[in-house]
Amino acid sequence: MDDLKNSLGFRYLQETKFDEKTLWGKPRLDIAPAHPYKQYVEAEKIKLPTDWEMDISLHEAFQSRRSYRNYTDTPLSLENLAMLLWASQGISGRAGNFFFRTAPSAGALYPVETYLSIQNVESLPPGLYHFQPADFGLERMSDGFAGKRVAEGALGQNFMAKAGVVFVWSAILRRNFSKYGHRGLRYVMMDAGHICQNLLLAAEGLTLGACPVAAFYDDQLNRLLDLDGEEESVVYLAAVGAKE
Ligand SMILES: Cc1cc2nc3c(=O)[nH]c(=O)nc-3n(C[C@H](O)[C@H](O)[C@H](O)COP(=O)(O)O)c2cc1C
């Protein structure tokens, strides 16, 4: 048991448990919130199409989804990319000033940002992009094929360089921690999981292959995206490409 107790994860889980006797008496952390949307103001903006269709039923998607790593050279269409973005982080509802998204988020705080390494997508030059849910568009951050660097950053998992697109999700911790304090990290990671699963099922629905990836050198990918690794840090990736 001591072997487990020595792990950081064990201690985190113990120390962030809610307990009915102590919960309301505990002092709250004082963490300032962050803006709900990140924007690359100077970046070129690309509007995404909204006319897409899924090829298979949700039932079939659940049944057939498997992590897929053997991508072909067939490019993804812009419509497919748009569908993947909408399924994973699209705005799908509104209540007053709150905008809700396709994936749930603790407190509707949406701490997860979506970046794309566009590697083989029709009518989009390879490069790094940021998804802007509010406009349903992309912000072009930098040009040039980044697939090799993404793969290197993912512990050398070379299949990622062959993907049409790699989704790179970061978390802006303060968006969530300002409300949930120590426990917030649990929720941030759950949010990322929901987002990724939506993406995987949507990819299946478009008969594309996708694979989630959590093995990566955090700060290598943070540097690639020019993130500081503290306020905002990469938490999860997924590669998507055409199937053989
Ligand atoms: C949190 C998480 C991290 C993962 N990281 C990687 C990874 O770094 N590389 C990889 O090839 N697959 C990765 N996978 C995919 C798993 O290997 C895969 O989901 C598992 O073998 C079950 O197979 P299936 O997804 O086809 O059902 C990851 C999956 C999850 C959920």
Side-chain angles (χ1 to χ4, degrees), residues 66-130:
R66 283 275 81 82
S67 294
Y68 192 91
R69 304 172 181 85
N70 204 10
Y71 312 115
T72 72
D73 292 334
T74 310
L76 261 63
S77 69
L78 193 60
E79 286 73 21
N80 279 0
L81 180 73
M83 168 94 227
L84 296 172
L85 284 162
W86 185 79
S88 52
Q89 274 296 265
I91 291 179
S92 54
R94 182 178 183 171
N97 287 333
F98 274 102
F99 290 88
F100 297 108
R101 302 196 193 172
T102 46
S105 172
L109 292 169
Y110 306 104
V112 175
E113 291 287 320
T114 303
Y115 299 88
L116 303 176
S117 172
I118 296 288
Q119 301 172 177
N120 190 11
V121 176
E122 266 168 16
S123 64
L124 272 185
L128 296 173
Y129 295 73
H130 173 249

Side-chain angles (χ1 to χ4, degrees), residues 39-47 115-116 118 123-132 137-144:
Q39 259 193 313
Y40 289 80
V41 179
E42 304 292 317
E44 180 196 342
K45 309 282 186 289
I46 298 127
K47 268 279 181 207
Y115 299 88
L116 303 176
I118 296 288
S123 64
L124 272 185
L128 296 173
Y129 295 73
H130 173 249
F131 175 54
Q132 186 52 257
L138 296 178
E139 295 163 340
R140 191 160 155 185
M141 295 164 60
S142 63
D143 288 336

